[in-house]
Structure formats: C-alpha cells, structure tokens
C-alpha cells in the first residue's frame, strides 16, 4: 500500500517547493539586482547565510571600497554611523510597524539600497527629510519625500497630481511637488519660490506671507545667505533671514548679532519684545546659550529663565 502513497507525496512536494521559494524571495529577494526609476542598480537583499559569509558585513566603513561586493558603505541617519550593508528590505511587509521600505543612496552615491525608514505625520506639500531620524520630518505612509511630501505620480500625465502640484522624478520615483506659479494667492500672501533650483522649468513654491528680511526678492549682502523656513503648524507663512556663518575660521559676528548654531542671529533681550522683528521671538534653549531672535513657531511658549 505504501507505493500507492508515493504519487500523493510527490504531488505535495511539487506544490510546496515553489511556495517555499516564493516565500524566501519575498523575504530576502532573489539575490539579483533591480533598478531604481533613474536606472541605477539597487544593492540586493541577501539571505542570512549570504550575509554570514561576508567578513565586512555591518563593519564600520568610510567608502564602498571598505566593503565586500555586493555590500556598500551605508550612512544610517538613525544611528549616525557608516557601515557595510546590503538592502534591508524589498517591500513594506519586511519592515516593522511604523516603517516603510524606501530607497537610500550610499556614501559614494553609487548603487542605492533599500532600507526601512520611519513613517511620520508630514502631509502632502509639507517639508520633509528623506529617511528622517525622527517622525517630525517624515512623511505619511503613502507619500514620498523630495524635500516635500507628495503622492506618487506619472511624469507623462500632469493630471496625476492635484491642482497646485506638479510631477517630478525622485529616487523613489516621481512624486507631486507644490507650486503656486500661475495662480493667484490670497490677500497678504505672494508666491514664494523655495530654496531649490527650477525643476522642469518650474519652482517648488507656495503662497505665503513673508516674515523677516524678504531675501527672496532682495538678495542678501555679499557673504550672507538667504535662509527660508516654513512650518506645518503655520501654513501660509514663510520666515526669511540673511545669515552669516560664525565660529571657527569665520569672521566675528557683526554688531547686533550673536553666534548660535554656527550662525550670526539677531541678538535680543527677553524684556523688550521690540528687539525682534514681527513674526520673531526672543528665545534661547538653555541658560548657556545667548538670547537671539528666532521664528515664532520655533520658540517655546514661554522664554527660558
């Protein structure tokens, strides 16, 4: 009777083996490289056995040359360290809750790899950081980050972005970026081009009221740079400043300013609110820091003692 069971056993193996192979491929990838939307070859995701055979796996590195192929020297924004790595995921299913599988460039900007990145609360059009180390600057799950959070789109189909956005290619594929060019802004606001070069002939821009020095229209003096900031909790507002670098090997800050975070910022006293321009508040984080004028959204509700 046992020989009669043999066909059933063989049939079971025929059905199970392909499923096992598919499960392994979903978990660890096929071991072959795939490409990014820009045509760059992705670093593959290796199996645990393949990782164990590589002596430099997760070792500290400075360049890709410090790593055995196919590993690359990867800078982690979470641990703020460089180490040799393969891709750590292929799909979102391989990331724990609160993370999504995203493409990140390596130290030398060659073959990128896939890693599990934080998912945050930043919404469409809001400023973001790719692979942010905290949720504060990470996009919502279904949005991609190109300096701004945006839904995926199709370059050949402008209608794949909502009104006030345009489609632009990025490391994760095309996504929608905000623009107010050709649109009428509400009273008291104007179309502000953000600090990015023109993309496909358009600026990343938004309708906003400008606080501080409007260096978007009036260039900063030589030796200073125009810094623009906007905050999700204050939509429709942009803060601008002309800032000089300070600190080691830099000139002393001019009169009326103090050096904080390697920047010359307007000095102030907390007793006199008029020291700071409208939209700015006199603030410091610790007693060791100097009082300086900062955009109101960044200041605490009460000045530090």
């Amino acid at each position: 009777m046992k020989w009669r069971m043999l066909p059933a056993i063989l049939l079971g193996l025929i059905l199970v083996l392909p499923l096992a192979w598919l499960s392994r491929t979903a978990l660890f990838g096929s071991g072959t490289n795939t490409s990014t939307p820009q045509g760059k070859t992705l670093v593959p995701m290796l199996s645990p056995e393949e990782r164990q055979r590589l002596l430099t796996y997760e070792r500290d590195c400075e360049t890709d040359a410090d790593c055995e192929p196919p590993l690359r020297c990867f800078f982690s924004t979470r641990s703020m360290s460089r180490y040799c790595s393969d891709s750590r995921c292929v799909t979102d299913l391989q990331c724990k809750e609160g993370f999504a599988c995203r493409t990140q460039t390596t130290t030398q900007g060659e073959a990128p790899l896939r890693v599990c990145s934080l998912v945050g609360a930043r919404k469409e059009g809001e400023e973001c950081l790719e692979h942010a180390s905290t949720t504060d600057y990470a996009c919502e799950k279904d949005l991609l980050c190109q300096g701004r959070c945006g839904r995926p789109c199709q370059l050949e189909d402008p209608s794949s972005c909502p009104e006030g956005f345009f489609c632009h290619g990025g490391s994760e594929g095309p996504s929608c970026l905000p623009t107010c060019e050709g649109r009428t802004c509400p009273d008291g606001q104007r179309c502000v081009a953000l600090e990015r070069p023109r993309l496909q002939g358009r600026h990343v821009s938004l309708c906003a009221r400008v606080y501080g020095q409007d260096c978007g229209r009036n260039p900063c003096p030589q030796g200073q740079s125009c810094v623009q900031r906007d905050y999700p909790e204050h939509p429709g507002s942009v803060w601008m400043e002309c800032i000089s670098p300070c600190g080691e090997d830099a000139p002393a800050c001019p009169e009326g300013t103090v050096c904080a975070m390697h920047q010359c910022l307007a000095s102030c006293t907390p007793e006199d609110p008029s020291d700071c321009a409208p939209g700015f508040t006199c603030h410091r984080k610790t007693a060791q820091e100097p009082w300086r004028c900062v955009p109101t959204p960044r200041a605490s509700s009460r000045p530090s003692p």
Side-chain angles (χ1 to χ4, degrees):
M1 295 294 291
K2 291 184 178 180
W3 66 270
R4 293 182 180 178
M5 297 175 62
L6 185 60
I9 293 172
L10 291 174
L11 180 60
L13 288 173
I14 290 171
L15 292 173
V16 170
L17 287 175
L19 290 174
W21 180 84
L22 286 172
S23 298
R24 183 187 186 282
T25 300
L27 285 173
F28 303 113
S30 63
T32 58
N33 293 350
T34 55
S35 297
T36 67
Q38 292 73 36
K40 288 189 175 182
T41 302
L42 281 167
V43 176
M45 182 182 180
L46 305 179
S47 67
E49 296 78 17
E50 290 171 317
R51 289 170 177 168
Q52 288 179 357
R53 288 197 292 267
L54 297 170
L55 298 178
T56 57
Y57 182 70
E58 292 193 334
R59 296 282 182 87
D60 292 344
C61 59
E62 291 297 328
T63 69
D64 289 346
D66 298 327
C67 306
E68 300 160 272
L71 304 179
R72 292 292 186 271
C73 190
F74 167 66
F75 177 74
S76 170
T77 54
R78 295 179 63 200
S79 64
M80 300 303 287
S81 62
R82 290 186 177 90
Y83 55 87
C84 297
S85 181
D86 61 340
S87 285
R88 309 312 293 266
C89 61
V90 177
T91 71
D92 292 348
L93 297 175
Q94 292 156 303
C95 299
K96 62 183 181 181
E97 187 176 355
F99 289 77
C101 191
R102 295 286 182 258
T103 302
Q104 183 161 328
T105 56
T106 52
T107 299
Q108 292 177 273
E110 299 292 337
L113 45 76
R114 300 274 284 172
V115 297
C116 292
S117 297
L118 276 172
V119 172
R122 290 287 168 112
K123 301 184 182 301
E124 191 166 36
E126 293 180 355
E127 188 178 13
C128 60
L129 292 175
E130 291 188 54
H131 313 287
S133 57
T134 68
T135 56
D136 293 343
Y137 279 87
C139 298
E140 292 180 335
K141 183 174 177 58
D142 295 326
L143 300 179
L144 304 179
C145 179
Q146 288 194 72
R148 298 272 158 178
C149 298
R151 69 185 70 179
C153 58
Q154 299 168 1
L155 289 172
E156 66 279 4
D157 181 13
S159 65
S160 59
C161 287
E163 185 180 357
F165 290 78
F166 69 101
C167 188
H168 184 262
S171 60
E172 289 286 335
S175 63
C176 299
L177 296 176
T179 181
C180 50
E181 291 184 14
R183 300 174 61 205
T184 301
C185 292
D187 290 343
Q189 298 183 0
R190 68 174 179 83
C191 189
V192 178
L194 304 175
E195 292 178 301
R196 292 190 64 160
R198 293 183 74 87
L199 304 173
Q200 299 173 353
R202 309 182 77 170
H203 272 301
V204 176
S205 55
L206 44 84
C207 288
R209 178 180 178 182
V210 176
Y211 290 97
Q213 301 164 277
D214 193 346
C215 45
R217 284 183 169 174
N218 306 303
C220 295
Q222 187 173 1
Q224 296 184 349
S225 57
C226 182
V227 176
Q228 300 179 173
R229 306 180 184 93
D230 65 289
Y231 304 92
E233 61 268 33
H234 290 265
S237 298
V238 168
W239 283 258
M240 295 188 187
E241 293 179 87
C242 288
I243 290 178
S244 303
C246 61
E248 189 176 352
D249 299 327
C253 288
E255 186 178 354
T257 64
V258 292
C259 187
M261 300 179 67
H262 305 288
Q263 298 175 330
C264 294
L265 304 176
S267 60
C268 59
T269 55
E271 295 79 20
D272 188 358
S274 65
D275 283 348
C276 297
F280 289 77
T281 302
C282 194
H283 178 68
R284 66 177 180 181
K285 290 184 178 179
T286 68
Q288 288 71 42
E289 295 182 355
W291 291 98
R292 73 265 192 187
C293 298
V294 300
T296 299
R298 294 294 295 274
S300 59
S301 57
R302 306 179 82 179
S304 301

